[in-house]
Amino acid sequence: MKRKVRVVVWGLGSMGSGIARMMLGKKGFTIVGAIDMDPKKVGKKLYEILEIAANEDNSCTVTENAEDVIKKGFADVCLLATASFTKVVFPQIKMAAEAGMNIVTTAEEMSYPRVVDPELSDEMDRIAKENRVSILGTGVNPGFIMDLVVIMLTGVCDTVESLNVKRINDLACFGKAVMVEQGIGLKPEEFIQGVKNETIAGHIGFLQSFGMFEEAFGIKMNNIRQDKEPILTKVPRATDIVSVNAGDVAGCRQLGYADFDGKTFITMEHPQQIKPELENIETGDYITVNGTPNMNLQIKPEIPGGIATIAICVNMVPLVINSEPGLKTMLDLPIPRAIIGDVRDLVKALD
């Protein structure tokens, strides 16, 4: 029997903790290191943070010092769930890659980093190849439902005239960082000002999805633009992270467009909010391919963002370990699939 896949989890917020818990529920993983800056977590055993029974795979001590666990020969892969932006996670990625660890990150911009940060992307690719590791950013969106699945559907098309993609989802499962990025809890005027001064990020991913489309189809789109509108609640809404009063911002409706060949080729609509059911709003994912043949795909309710992001990060680990070294996107790797058996049976080689 091969040894277990050794993992470091960097960031133990909503996503990182979920990733750790899911990995520990599968055969063949052992978490050898955990990093977090929260003083309430530092110094505790991982199983205490996750509130699960102790065993040899979950008994590492949470540290705030990355150097304690990001070191040569310590782990096969680092699961990074700390921030959304490439520039922010780059130093962490660099450190882990130079320690010989493959990296899977939830950072949205890392799903297709070249579209915003081409120089950093080149640097990450160089570092990955020099250290014989692979780097991947992924999630349910960007990274799957509004880009990879859309691209896959066109594989049975002769022609594609346009693509319309819509995702109506519930943000209640996410942590504080997402709430801040979406402007949840703000007054309408604060949201509008935040969009103007770019403190309201909204959905981070349309640009990355557009970049993935361009590579997949071998085209160059133009007139790429985005709009962000506040979703105001008529009733009080609350999660474990935030409470919102009637009249305040409960989410962000984001629109994205890209032109090709003189017309709008891609239209994306992504209204994200907390507890949409409180106003009888149904969640769902909708993809329309206008071409030959026409296609309509509906998934109702939505693919749930929290567990789906956690799952795709975990499930891509063996594919990342098996891949040729370098900076990867979801276009470069085999199609995602669930880890049902022992992950060691899916990994080609462990030293």
Side-chain angles (χ1 to χ4, degrees):
M1 177 69 74
K2 296 177 183 177
R3 66 167 174 80
K4 293 180 178 179
V5 177
R6 301 168 303 178
V7 179
V8 169
V9 178
W10 197 334
L12 290 172
S14 298
M15 293 297 103
S17 293
I19 286 168
R21 192 175 289 107
M22 185 177 290
M23 281 190 148
L24 292 166
K26 296 184 180 293
K27 295 179 182 178
F29 284 115
T30 182
I31 299 180
V32 296
I35 308 165
D36 200 271
M37 301 303 294
D38 186 346
K40 295 179 181 178
K41 298 176 182 176
V42 173
K44 291 185 176 180
K45 297 293 187 180
L46 181 60
Y47 63 80
E48 295 181 90
I49 302 298
L50 301 180
E51 299 180 340
I52 57 178
N55 61 43
E56 63 180 8
D57 298 322
N58 63 27
S59 293
C60 64
T61 301
V62 179
T63 180
E64 62 182 336
N65 300 311
E67 295 82 2
D68 292 344
V69 295
I70 305 295
K71 51 190 178 184
K72 289 276 189 180
F74 195 77
D76 304 299
V77 62
C78 176
L79 270 293
L80 185 62
T82 58
S84 297
F85 304 99
T86 299
K87 287 184 172 66
V88 176
V89 298
F90 171 74
Q92 299 165 344
I93 288 173
K94 181 175 185 291
M95 184 178 182
E98 290 178 341
M101 298 180 192
N102 297 283
I103 296 141
V104 178
T105 177
T106 62
E108 292 94 328
E109 283 193 344
M110 281 296 297
S111 67
Y112 203 90
R114 193 167 297 281
V115 73
V116 173
D117 296 292
E119 292 181 2
L120 274 184
S121 298
D122 288 341
E123 179 71 358
M124 285 187 286
D125 189 54
R126 181 189 66 77
I127 293 169
K129 289 174 178 174
E130 283 185 359
N131 291 278
R132 303 295 301 167
V133 299
S134 295
I135 301 167
L136 174 71
T138 192
V140 68
N141 183 42
F144 187 69
I145 189 59
M146 293 188 82
D147 38 41
L148 187 66
V149 174
V150 182
I151 291 165
M152 181 181 68
L153 285 177
T154 69
V156 294
C157 289
D158 175 22
T159 63
V160 178
E161 300 300 324
S162 64
L163 301 168
N164 295 281
V165 189
K166 184 174 183 178
R167 175 168 168 80
I168 304 171
N169 69 311
D170 184 359
L171 293 173
C173 61
F174 290 95
K176 183 178 179 180
V178 170
M179 303 300 169
V180 172
E181 289 167 357
Q182 297 287 335
I184 294 173
L186 296 180
K187 301 295 183 185
E189 58 273 17
E190 293 173 327
F191 182 97
I192 293 168
Q193 184 58 43
V195 171
K196 289 180 179 178
N197 61 28
E198 298 184 348
T199 58
I200 301 298
H203 169 61
I204 304 163
F206 278 170
L207 295 180
Q208 288 68 34
S209 294
F210 290 150
M212 199 179 294
F213 284 124
E214 287 185 325
E215 179 180 338
F217 298 138
I219 63 175
K220 183 65 179 176
M221 300 186 296
N222 55 64
N223 196 24
I224 293 172
R225 63 268 189 206
Q226 298 187 69
D227 294 316
K228 300 170 190 172
E229 304 169 353
I231 297 173
L232 306 181
T233 183
K234 298 176 182 177
V235 299
R237 307 189 198 184
T239 73
D240 294 339
I241 303 296
V242 65
S243 296
V244 178
N245 296 318
D248 292 344
V249 176
C252 175
R253 179 174 180 260
Q254 194 151 331
L255 300 162
Y257 309 92
D259 294 353
F260 175 66
D261 201 22
K263 59 184 179 182
T264 301
F265 181 58
I266 297 175
T267 299
M268 288 190 167
E269 183 178 356
H270 195 12
Q272 301 191 82
Q273 58 196 294
I274 60 169
K275 303 286 186 177
E277 70 277 7
L278 294 179
E279 293 196 39
N280 299 314
I281 297 169
E282 294 185 353
T283 65
D285 294 296
Y286 309 89
I287 300 170
T288 300
V289 178
N290 299 303
T292 310
N294 292 319
M295 283 184 287
N296 288 283
L297 175 68
Q298 297 185 27
I299 301 174
K300 295 178 66 175
E302 59 158 323
I303 298 175
I307 190 171
T309 293
I310 290 165
I312 200 167
C313 287
V314 173
N315 290 330
M316 292 305 295
V317 166
L319 305 182
V320 168
I321 293 175
N322 291 342
S323 71
E324 289 296 314
L327 176 64
K328 305 296 181 182
T329 75
M330 293 297 287
L331 290 176
D332 301 316
L333 300 176
I335 59 171
R337 73 290 306 268
I339 299 172
I340 297 173
D342 192 314
V343 69
R344 287 170 288 190
D345 295 332
L346 303 175
V347 176
K348 293 179 181 177
L350 289 173
D351 54 22

mmCIF file of all heavy atoms in Angstrom, residues 139-185:
data_model
loop_
_atom_site.group_PDB
_atom_site.id
_atom_site.type_symbol
_atom_site.label_atom_id
_atom_site.label_comp_id
_atom_site.label_asym_id
_atom_site.label_seq_id
_atom_site.Cartn_x
_atom_site.Cartn_y
_atom_site.Cartn_z
ATOM 1 N N GLY A 139 -12.795 26.254 -8.242
ATOM 2 C CA GLY A 139 -13.956 26.455 -7.380
ATOM 3 C C GLY A 139 -15.199 26.159 -8.190
ATOM 4 O O GLY A 139 -15.124 25.825 -9.381
ATOM 5 N N VAL A 140 -16.356 26.312 -7.558
ATOM 6 C CA VAL A 140 -17.587 26.082 -8.314
ATOM 7 C C VAL A 140 -17.781 27.181 -9.352
ATOM 8 O O VAL A 140 -18.299 26.941 -10.441
ATOM 9 C CB VAL A 140 -18.802 25.977 -7.374
ATOM 10 C CG1 VAL A 140 -19.113 27.312 -6.699
ATOM 11 C CG2 VAL A 140 -20.025 25.478 -8.129
ATOM 12 N N ASN A 141 -17.309 28.400 -9.036
ATOM 13 C CA ASN A 141 -17.451 29.520 -9.961
ATOM 14 C C ASN A 141 -16.612 30.699 -9.471
ATOM 15 O O ASN A 141 -16.878 31.205 -8.387
ATOM 16 C CB ASN A 141 -18.921 29.953 -10.046
ATOM 17 C CG ASN A 141 -19.134 31.057 -11.050
ATOM 18 O OD1 ASN A 141 -18.574 31.024 -12.128
ATOM 19 N ND2 ASN A 141 -19.926 32.047 -10.687
ATOM 20 N N PRO A 142 -15.591 31.086 -10.257
ATOM 21 C CA PRO A 142 -15.170 30.528 -11.537
ATOM 22 C C PRO A 142 -14.484 29.167 -11.360
ATOM 23 O O PRO A 142 -14.112 28.790 -10.267
ATOM 24 C CB PRO A 142 -14.184 31.575 -12.054
ATOM 25 C CG PRO A 142 -13.600 32.171 -10.801
ATOM 26 C CD PRO A 142 -14.737 32.206 -9.817
ATOM 27 N N GLY A 143 -14.366 28.460 -12.483
ATOM 28 C CA GLY A 143 -13.679 27.187 -12.468
ATOM 29 C C GLY A 143 -14.551 26.015 -12.837
ATOM 30 O O GLY A 143 -14.044 24.939 -13.158
ATOM 31 N N PHE A 144 -15.889 26.196 -12.817
ATOM 32 C CA PHE A 144 -16.736 25.053 -13.137
ATOM 33 C C PHE A 144 -18.026 25.455 -13.847
ATOM 34 O O PHE A 144 -18.124 25.402 -15.056
ATOM 35 C CB PHE A 144 -17.037 24.240 -11.875
ATOM 36 C CG PHE A 144 -17.758 22.958 -12.139
ATOM 37 C CD1 PHE A 144 -17.114 21.922 -12.793
ATOM 38 C CD2 PHE A 144 -19.077 22.784 -11.755
ATOM 39 C CE1 PHE A 144 -17.776 20.719 -13.068
ATOM 40 C CE2 PHE A 144 -19.754 21.595 -12.018
ATOM 41 C CZ PHE A 144 -19.102 20.564 -12.673
ATOM 42 N N ILE A 145 -19.047 25.902 -13.102
ATOM 43 C CA ILE A 145 -20.390 25.940 -13.671
ATOM 44 C C ILE A 145 -20.587 27.026 -14.723
ATOM 45 O O ILE A 145 -21.293 26.827 -15.714
ATOM 46 C CB ILE A 145 -21.467 26.050 -12.563
ATOM 47 C CG1 ILE A 145 -22.878 25.875 -13.154
ATOM 48 C CG2 ILE A 145 -21.365 27.373 -11.815
ATOM 49 C CD1 ILE A 145 -23.110 24.564 -13.846
ATOM 50 N N MET A 146 -19.966 28.206 -14.550
ATOM 51 C CA MET A 146 -20.191 29.286 -15.511
ATOM 52 C C MET A 146 -19.133 29.348 -16.599
ATOM 53 O O MET A 146 -19.190 30.240 -17.458
ATOM 54 C CB MET A 146 -20.297 30.642 -14.789
ATOM 55 C CG MET A 146 -21.526 30.764 -13.905
ATOM 56 S SD MET A 146 -21.789 32.438 -13.222
ATOM 57 C CE MET A 146 -22.606 33.259 -14.603
ATOM 58 N N ASP A 147 -18.189 28.432 -16.587
ATOM 59 C CA ASP A 147 -17.183 28.424 -17.653
ATOM 60 C C ASP A 147 -16.886 27.005 -18.139
ATOM 61 O O ASP A 147 -17.198 26.656 -19.262
ATOM 62 C CB ASP A 147 -15.900 29.157 -17.246
ATOM 63 C CG ASP A 147 -15.497 28.938 -15.793
ATOM 64 O OD1 ASP A 147 -15.602 27.804 -15.303
ATOM 65 O OD2 ASP A 147 -15.084 29.908 -15.128
ATOM 66 N N LEU A 148 -16.315 26.142 -17.292
ATOM 67 C CA LEU A 148 -15.931 24.806 -17.749
ATOM 68 C C LEU A 148 -17.120 24.005 -18.270
ATOM 69 O O LEU A 148 -17.041 23.368 -19.330
ATOM 70 C CB LEU A 148 -15.240 24.050 -16.616
ATOM 71 C CG LEU A 148 -14.625 22.705 -17.004
ATOM 72 C CD1 LEU A 148 -13.462 22.895 -17.973
ATOM 73 C CD2 LEU A 148 -14.172 21.943 -15.774
ATOM 74 N N VAL A 149 -18.234 24.021 -17.555
ATOM 75 C CA VAL A 149 -19.415 23.272 -17.996
ATOM 76 C C VAL A 149 -19.970 23.855 -19.293
ATOM 77 O O VAL A 149 -20.391 23.117 -20.198
ATOM 78 C CB VAL A 149 -20.495 23.252 -16.895
ATOM 79 C CG1 VAL A 149 -21.776 22.605 -17.406
ATOM 80 C CG2 VAL A 149 -19.987 22.509 -15.661
ATOM 81 N N VAL A 150 -19.960 25.183 -19.417
ATOM 82 C CA VAL A 150 -20.435 25.826 -20.645
ATOM 83 C C VAL A 150 -19.581 25.395 -21.830
ATOM 84 O O VAL A 150 -20.090 25.017 -22.897
ATOM 85 C CB VAL A 150 -20.406 27.364 -20.489
ATOM 86 C CG1 VAL A 150 -20.944 28.032 -21.755
ATOM 87 C CG2 VAL A 150 -21.190 27.808 -19.270
ATOM 88 N N ILE A 151 -18.264 25.446 -21.647
ATOM 89 C CA ILE A 151 -17.342 25.040 -22.712
ATOM 90 C C ILE A 151 -17.590 23.582 -23.100
ATOM 91 O O ILE A 151 -17.623 23.235 -24.286
ATOM 92 C CB ILE A 151 -15.893 25.250 -22.235
ATOM 93 C CG1 ILE A 151 -15.589 26.755 -22.115
ATOM 94 C CG2 ILE A 151 -14.898 24.577 -23.185
ATOM 95 C CD1 ILE A 151 -14.343 27.080 -21.318
ATOM 96 N N MET A 152 -17.785 22.729 -22.114
ATOM 97 C CA MET A 152 -18.018 21.317 -22.371
ATOM 98 C C MET A 152 -19.285 21.099 -23.212
ATOM 99 O O MET A 152 -19.298 20.269 -24.128
ATOM 100 C CB MET A 152 -18.120 20.566 -21.056
ATOM 101 C CG MET A 152 -18.333 19.062 -21.177
ATOM 102 S SD MET A 152 -18.463 18.274 -19.575
ATOM 103 C CE MET A 152 -20.025 18.952 -18.991
ATOM 104 N N LEU A 153 -20.333 21.855 -22.902
ATOM 105 C CA LEU A 153 -21.586 21.698 -23.653
ATOM 106 C C LEU A 153 -21.402 22.002 -25.134
ATOM 107 O O LEU A 153 -22.050 21.395 -25.989
ATOM 108 C CB LEU A 153 -22.662 22.606 -23.067
ATOM 109 C CG LEU A 153 -23.303 22.178 -21.752
ATOM 110 C CD1 LEU A 153 -24.290 23.226 -21.283
ATOM 111 C CD2 LEU A 153 -23.993 20.825 -21.886
ATOM 112 N N THR A 154 -20.525 22.957 -25.456
ATOM 113 C CA THR A 154 -20.328 23.309 -26.865
ATOM 114 C C THR A 154 -19.586 22.224 -27.629
ATOM 115 O O THR A 154 -19.497 22.288 -28.859
ATOM 116 C CB THR A 154 -19.550 24.634 -27.005
ATOM 117 O OG1 THR A 154 -18.184 24.461 -26.570
ATOM 118 C CG2 THR A 154 -20.211 25.748 -26.215
ATOM 119 N N GLY A 155 -19.079 21.220 -26.912
ATOM 120 C CA GLY A 155 -18.373 20.132 -27.584
ATOM 121 C C GLY A 155 -19.244 19.309 -28.505
ATOM 122 O O GLY A 155 -18.729 18.561 -29.346
ATOM 123 N N VAL A 156 -20.560 19.444 -28.385
ATOM 124 C CA VAL A 156 -21.466 18.718 -29.294
ATOM 125 C C VAL A 156 -22.132 19.674 -30.278
ATOM 126 O O VAL A 156 -23.161 19.334 -30.883
ATOM 127 C CB VAL A 156 -22.526 17.937 -28.491
ATOM 128 C CG1 VAL A 156 -21.864 16.829 -27.688
ATOM 129 C CG2 VAL A 156 -23.332 18.854 -27.561
ATOM 130 N N CYS A 157 -21.555 20.856 -30.439
ATOM 131 C CA CYS A 157 -22.131 21.847 -31.347
ATOM 132 C C CYS A 157 -21.334 21.951 -32.649
ATOM 133 O O CYS A 157 -20.099 21.846 -32.657
ATOM 134 C CB CYS A 157 -22.143 23.232 -30.685
ATOM 135 S SG CYS A 157 -23.332 23.399 -29.349
ATOM 136 N N ASP A 158 -22.058 22.215 -33.730
ATOM 137 C CA ASP A 158 -21.425 22.569 -35.003
ATOM 138 C C ASP A 158 -21.075 24.052 -34.986
ATOM 139 O O ASP A 158 -19.949 24.442 -35.262
ATOM 140 C CB ASP A 158 -22.374 22.240 -36.148
ATOM 141 C CG ASP A 158 -21.843 22.689 -37.504
ATOM 142 O OD1 ASP A 158 -20.612 22.863 -37.625
ATOM 143 O OD2 ASP A 158 -22.650 22.871 -38.437
ATOM 144 N N THR A 159 -22.065 24.878 -34.629
ATOM 145 C CA THR A 159 -21.830 26.323 -34.552
ATOM 146 C C THR A 159 -22.293 26.833 -33.195
ATOM 147 O O THR A 159 -23.184 26.256 -32.560
ATOM 148 C CB THR A 159 -22.610 27.073 -35.648
ATOM 149 O OG1 THR A 159 -24.020 26.881 -35.434
ATOM 150 C CG2 THR A 159 -22.223 26.574 -37.029
ATOM 151 N N VAL A 160 -21.682 27.936 -32.757
ATOM 152 C CA VAL A 160 -22.080 28.621 -31.523
ATOM 153 C C VAL A 160 -22.219 30.097 -31.844
ATOM 154 O O VAL A 160 -21.234 30.773 -32.174
ATOM 155 C CB VAL A 160 -21.048 28.418 -30.391
ATOM 156 C CG1 VAL A 160 -21.479 29.186 -29.148
ATOM 157 C CG2 VAL A 160 -20.876 26.938 -30.065
ATOM 158 N N GLU A 161 -23.459 30.587 -31.781
ATOM 159 C CA GLU A 161 -23.704 31.996 -32.076
ATOM 160 C C GLU A 161 -23.538 32.872 -30.844
ATOM 161 O O GLU A 161 -22.998 33.977 -30.915
ATOM 162 C CB GLU A 161 -25.119 32.166 -32.634
ATOM 163 C CG GLU A 161 -25.375 31.386 -33.922
ATOM 164 C CD GLU A 161 -24.449 31.806 -35.044
ATOM 165 O OE1 GLU A 161 -24.127 33.012 -35.124
ATOM 166 O OE2 GLU A 161 -24.031 30.928 -35.819
ATOM 167 N N SER A 162 -24.010 32.382 -29.692
ATOM 168 C CA SER A 162 -23.886 33.143 -28.455
ATOM 169 C C SER A 162 -24.117 32.219 -27.270
ATOM 170 O O SER A 162 -24.695 31.135 -27.406
ATOM 171 C CB SER A 162 -24.867 34.323 -28.407
ATOM 172 O OG SER A 162 -26.207 33.857 -28.405
ATOM 173 N N LEU A 163 -23.687 32.681 -26.097
ATOM 174 C CA LEU A 163 -23.820 31.929 -24.857
ATOM 175 C C LEU A 163 -24.432 32.825 -23.795
ATOM 176 O O LEU A 163 -24.003 33.973 -23.620
ATOM 177 C CB LEU A 163 -22.448 31.442 -24.375
ATOM 178 C CG LEU A 163 -21.673 30.534 -25.334
ATOM 179 C CD1 LEU A 163 -20.227 30.384 -24.864
ATOM 180 C CD2 LEU A 163 -22.347 29.172 -25.438
ATOM 181 N N ASN A 164 -25.446 32.309 -23.115
ATOM 182 C CA ASN A 164 -26.067 33.039 -22.013
ATOM 183 C C ASN A 164 -25.989 32.169 -20.761
ATOM 184 O O ASN A 164 -26.456 31.024 -20.777
ATOM 185 C CB ASN A 164 -27.522 33.370 -22.330
ATOM 186 C CG ASN A 164 -27.646 34.321 -23.505
ATOM 187 O OD1 ASN A 164 -27.450 35.512 -23.373
ATOM 188 N ND2 ASN A 164 -27.959 33.772 -24.675
ATOM 189 N N VAL A 165 -25.414 32.725 -19.716
ATOM 190 C CA VAL A 165 -25.170 31.959 -18.493
ATOM 191 C C VAL A 165 -25.691 32.751 -17.301
ATOM 192 O O VAL A 165 -25.411 33.950 -17.180
ATOM 193 C CB VAL A 165 -23.669 31.669 -18.303
ATOM 194 C CG1 VAL A 165 -23.460 30.685 -17.159
ATOM 195 C CG2 VAL A 165 -23.037 31.147 -19.583
ATOM 196 N N LYS A 166 -26.445 32.088 -16.432
ATOM 197 C CA LYS A 166 -27.005 32.756 -15.257
ATOM 198 C C LYS A 166 -26.877 31.836 -14.052
ATOM 199 O O LYS A 166 -27.161 30.637 -14.148
ATOM 200 C CB LYS A 166 -28.480 33.106 -15.483
ATOM 201 C CG LYS A 166 -29.130 33.892 -14.344
ATOM 202 C CD LYS A 166 -30.554 34.305 -14.731
ATOM 203 C CE LYS A 166 -31.212 35.150 -13.658
ATOM 204 N NZ LYS A 166 -32.573 35.583 -14.049
ATOM 205 N N ARG A 167 -26.432 32.405 -12.940
ATOM 206 C CA ARG A 167 -26.340 31.649 -11.688
ATOM 207 C C ARG A 167 -26.955 32.468 -10.566
ATOM 208 O O ARG A 167 -26.466 33.552 -10.236
ATOM 209 C CB ARG A 167 -24.884 31.312 -11.357
ATOM 210 C CG ARG A 167 -24.686 30.628 -9.997
ATOM 211 C CD ARG A 167 -23.276 30.065 -9.867
ATOM 212 N NE ARG A 167 -22.940 29.654 -8.521
ATOM 213 C CZ ARG A 167 -23.305 28.499 -7.953
ATOM 214 N NH1 ARG A 167 -24.044 27.654 -8.641
ATOM 215 N NH2 ARG A 167 -22.937 28.199 -6.725
ATOM 216 N N ILE A 168 -28.041 31.973 -10.019
ATOM 217 C CA ILE A 168 -28.712 32.600 -8.878
ATOM 218 C C ILE A 168 -28.371 31.750 -7.662
ATOM 219 O O ILE A 168 -28.772 30.584 -7.593
ATOM 220 C CB ILE A 168 -30.237 32.647 -9.076
ATOM 221 C CG1 ILE A 168 -30.590 33.358 -10.387
ATOM 222 C CG2 ILE A 168 -30.913 33.335 -7.888
ATOM 223 C CD1 ILE A 168 -32.058 33.243 -10.758
ATOM 224 N N ASN A 169 -27.617 32.320 -6.724
ATOM 225 C CA ASN A 169 -27.142 31.474 -5.627
ATOM 226 C C ASN A 169 -27.253 32.144 -4.275
ATOM 227 O O ASN A 169 -27.458 33.349 -4.152
ATOM 228 C CB ASN A 169 -25.704 31.020 -5.878
ATOM 229 C CG ASN A 169 -24.701 32.146 -5.786
ATOM 230 O OD1 ASN A 169 -24.878 33.202 -6.374
ATOM 231 N ND2 ASN A 169 -23.646 31.926 -5.028
ATOM 232 N N ASP A 170 -27.125 31.318 -3.258
ATOM 233 C CA ASP A 170 -27.209 31.730 -1.859
ATOM 234 C C ASP A 170 -25.800 31.813 -1.287
ATOM 235 O O ASP A 170 -25.031 30.847 -1.360
ATOM 236 C CB ASP A 170 -28.039 30.706 -1.077
ATOM 237 C CG ASP A 170 -28.270 31.108 0.373
ATOM 238 O OD1 ASP A 170 -27.779 32.174 0.796
ATOM 239 O OD2 ASP A 170 -28.941 30.333 1.082
ATOM 240 N N LEU A 171 -25.461 32.953 -0.711
ATOM 241 C CA LEU A 171 -24.124 33.173 -0.147
ATOM 242 C C LEU A 171 -24.034 32.828 1.338
ATOM 243 O O LEU A 171 -22.985 33.017 1.952
ATOM 244 C CB LEU A 171 -23.715 34.639 -0.326
ATOM 245 C CG LEU A 171 -23.471 35.125 -1.747
ATOM 246 C CD1 LEU A 171 -23.241 36.636 -1.748
ATOM 247 C CD2 LEU A 171 -22.283 34.412 -2.370
ATOM 248 N N ALA A 172 -25.109 32.320 1.906
ATOM 249 C CA ALA A 172 -25.156 32.150 3.358
ATOM 250 C C ALA A 172 -24.068 31.225 3.903
ATOM 251 O O ALA A 172 -23.686 31.331 5.063
ATOM 252 C CB ALA A 172 -26.534 31.642 3.782
ATOM 253 N N CYS A 173 -23.558 30.324 3.065
ATOM 254 C CA CYS A 173 -22.573 29.354 3.535
ATOM 255 C C CYS A 173 -21.156 29.908 3.575
ATOM 256 O O CYS A 173 -20.250 29.258 4.110
ATOM 257 C CB CYS A 173 -22.596 28.110 2.650
ATOM 258 S SG CYS A 173 -22.195 28.461 0.926
ATOM 259 N N PHE A 174 -20.950 31.103 3.040
ATOM 260 C CA PHE A 174 -19.597 31.636 2.933
ATOM 261 C C PHE A 174 -19.216 32.481 4.150
ATOM 262 O O PHE A 174 -20.053 32.875 4.953
ATOM 263 C CB PHE A 174 -19.449 32.462 1.652
ATOM 264 C CG PHE A 174 -19.465 31.625 0.409
ATOM 265 C CD1 PHE A 174 -20.641 31.429 -0.304
ATOM 266 C CD2 PHE A 174 -18.321 31.000 -0.050
ATOM 267 C CE1 PHE A 174 -20.668 30.650 -1.451
ATOM 268 C CE2 PHE A 174 -18.324 30.218 -1.192
ATOM 269 C CZ PHE A 174 -19.508 30.046 -1.896
ATOM 270 N N GLY A 175 -17.912 32.768 4.243
ATOM 271 C CA GLY A 175 -17.367 33.482 5.380
ATOM 272 C C GLY A 175 -17.348 34.988 5.201
ATOM 273 O O GLY A 175 -17.888 35.544 4.228
ATOM 274 N N LYS A 176 -16.677 35.650 6.132
ATOM 275 C CA LYS A 176 -16.683 37.105 6.210
ATOM 276 C C LYS A 176 -16.107 37.760 4.960
ATOM 277 O O LYS A 176 -16.621 38.791 4.497
ATOM 278 C CB LYS A 176 -15.898 37.557 7.442
ATOM 279 C CG LYS A 176 -15.898 39.056 7.655
ATOM 280 C CD LYS A 176 -15.152 39.450 8.924
ATOM 281 C CE LYS A 176 -15.145 40.961 9.115
ATOM 282 N NZ LYS A 176 -14.413 41.345 10.348
ATOM 283 N N ALA A 177 -15.041 37.191 4.405
ATOM 284 C CA ALA A 177 -14.393 37.816 3.249
ATOM 285 C C ALA A 177 -15.367 37.982 2.090
ATOM 286 O O ALA A 177 -15.408 39.027 1.438
ATOM 287 C CB ALA A 177 -13.181 36.993 2.814
ATOM 288 N N VAL A 178 -16.168 36.947 1.831
ATOM 289 C CA VAL A 178 -17.137 37.014 0.730
ATOM 290 C C VAL A 178 -18.204 38.054 1.030
ATOM 291 O O VAL A 178 -18.627 38.805 0.144
ATOM 292 C CB VAL A 178 -17.762 35.630 0.482
ATOM 293 C CG1 VAL A 178 -18.947 35.736 -0.481
ATOM 294 C CG2 VAL A 178 -16.720 34.663 -0.072
ATOM 295 N N MET A 179 -18.662 38.136 2.284
ATOM 296 C CA MET A 179 -19.684 39.120 2.645
ATOM 297 C C MET A 179 -19.189 40.548 2.389
ATOM 298 O O MET A 179 -19.919 41.398 1.876
ATOM 299 C CB MET A 179 -20.089 38.965 4.108
ATOM 300 C CG MET A 179 -20.609 37.584 4.476
ATOM 301 S SD MET A 179 -22.082 37.090 3.535
ATOM 302 C CE MET A 179 -22.184 35.352 3.982
ATOM 303 N N VAL A 180 -17.936 40.787 2.721
ATOM 304 C CA VAL A 180 -17.347 42.115 2.498
ATOM 305 C C VAL A 180 -17.214 42.385 1.005
ATOM 306 O O VAL A 180 -17.540 43.483 0.521
ATOM 307 C CB VAL A 180 -15.976 42.213 3.204
ATOM 308 C CG1 VAL A 180 -15.275 43.516 2.819
ATOM 309 C CG2 VAL A 180 -16.149 42.135 4.716
ATOM 310 N N GLU A 181 -16.717 41.396 0.249
ATOM 311 C CA GLU A 181 -16.547 41.574 -1.192
ATOM 312 C C GLU A 181 -17.862 41.883 -1.892
ATOM 313 O O GLU A 181 -17.901 42.630 -2.860
ATOM 314 C CB GLU A 181 -15.937 40.302 -1.797
ATOM 315 C CG GLU A 181 -14.485 40.072 -1.424
ATOM 316 C CD GLU A 181 -14.008 38.675 -1.767
ATOM 317 O OE1 GLU A 181 -14.842 37.867 -2.250
ATOM 318 O OE2 GLU A 181 -12.825 38.377 -1.545
ATOM 319 N N GLN A 182 -18.965 41.319 -1.385
ATOM 320 C CA GLN A 182 -20.268 41.509 -2.008
ATOM 321 C C GLN A 182 -20.991 42.753 -1.490
ATOM 322 O O GLN A 182 -22.035 43.118 -2.018
ATOM 323 C CB GLN A 182 -21.149 40.282 -1.748
ATOM 324 C CG GLN A 182 -20.613 39.004 -2.356
ATOM 325 C CD GLN A 182 -20.760 38.965 -3.862
ATOM 326 O OE1 GLN A 182 -21.622 39.615 -4.428
ATOM 327 N NE2 GLN A 182 -19.911 38.195 -4.512
ATOM 328 N N GLY A 183 -20.471 43.378 -0.447
ATOM 329 C CA GLY A 183 -21.105 44.580 0.100
ATOM 330 C C GLY A 183 -22.333 44.295 0.935
ATOM 331 O O GLY A 183 -23.175 45.187 1.157
ATOM 332 N N ILE A 184 -22.449 43.076 1.431
ATOM 333 C CA ILE A 184 -23.643 42.697 2.192
ATOM 334 C C ILE A 184 -23.681 43.415 3.531
ATOM 335 O O ILE A 184 -22.699 43.452 4.266
ATOM 336 C CB ILE A 184 -23.690 41.166 2.375
ATOM 337 C CG1 ILE A 184 -23.889 40.511 1.010
ATOM 338 C CG2 ILE A 184 -24.798 40.758 3.341
ATOM 339 C CD1 ILE A 184 -23.791 39.018 1.016
ATOM 340 N N GLY A 185 -24.853 44.007 3.826
ATOM 341 C CA GLY A 185 -25.022 44.762 5.058
ATOM 342 C C GLY A 185 -24.868 46.258 4.893
ATOM 343 O O GLY A 185 -25.179 47.028 5.807
#
